[in-house]
Amino acid sequence: MTYSQISNNSGNASDILYLEQQIQAVKAEIARAGAAGRKEAAEQAGNKLAELEAKLDELVD
């Protein structure tokens, strides 16, 4: 179950859903970069992923 599905705060639900979608996109980007052997791009995307997950945690709390 995703955060947006369990969230009771409808005011943040759209923000949470947006962040979840961004997280999935960045995870796919990391996978593509890793498969292509682009270590620096994968690391940059990993940093972006950490930022998005931190924002999501703030909204959920």
Side-chain angles (χ1 to χ4, degrees):
M1 185 174 284
T2 64
Y3 288 120
S4 60
Q5 290 171 323
I6 59 175
S7 176
N8 292 329
N9 187 345
S10 62
N12 285 338
S14 63
D15 292 338
I16 291 170
L17 182 59
Y18 172 76
L19 286 171
E20 289 174 341
Q21 292 169 343
Q22 292 300 305
I23 287 170
Q24 291 304 315
V26 171
K27 285 181 179 179
E29 182 179 338
I30 291 169
R32 285 191 303 272
R38 296 175 34 224
K39 186 176 180 179
E40 185 176 326
E43 288 176 4
Q44 289 175 350
N47 293 337
K48 180 67 174 176
L49 178 61
E51 292 174 19
L52 290 170
E53 288 176 336
K55 288 179 184 180
L56 181 60
D57 288 342
E58 288 177 17
L59 285 176
V60 172
D61 291 340

